[in-house]
C-alpha cells in the first residue's frame, strides 16, 4: 500500500467516525421516541 493510499484511507476513516458520532445518538433518540410513542 502506498503512502497516498494510506492517507486517503485515514481521511475516509475519519469521515466515517465523524458521521458515526452524530448518527448513533440521533438514531438512539429516534428509537426511544418511537418506543415511547408505541407504549
Amino acid at each position: 500500500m502506498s503512502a497516498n493510499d494510506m492517507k486517503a484511507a485515514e481521511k475516509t476513516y475519519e469521515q466515517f467516525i465523524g458521521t458515526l458520532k452524530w448518527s448513533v445518538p440521533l438514531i438512539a433518540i429516534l428509537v426511544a421516541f418511537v418506543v415511547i410513542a408505541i407504549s
Side-chain angles (χ1 to χ4, degrees), residues 26-38:
L26 290 175
I27 292 169
I29 291 169
L30 180 64
V31 168
F33 177 74
V34 170
V35 167
I36 291 170
I38 289 173

Side-chain angles (χ1 to χ4, degrees), residues 3-36:
N4 288 338
D5 289 343
M6 197 60 197
K7 288 179 184 177
E10 288 175 352
K11 184 176 180 183
T12 302
Y13 177 75
E14 288 174 8
Q15 289 173 345
F16 172 73
I17 293 300
T19 303
L20 211 61
K21 285 180 186 177
W22 287 102
S23 62
V24 169
L26 290 175
I27 292 169
I29 291 169
L30 180 64
V31 168
F33 177 74
V34 170
V35 167
I36 291 170

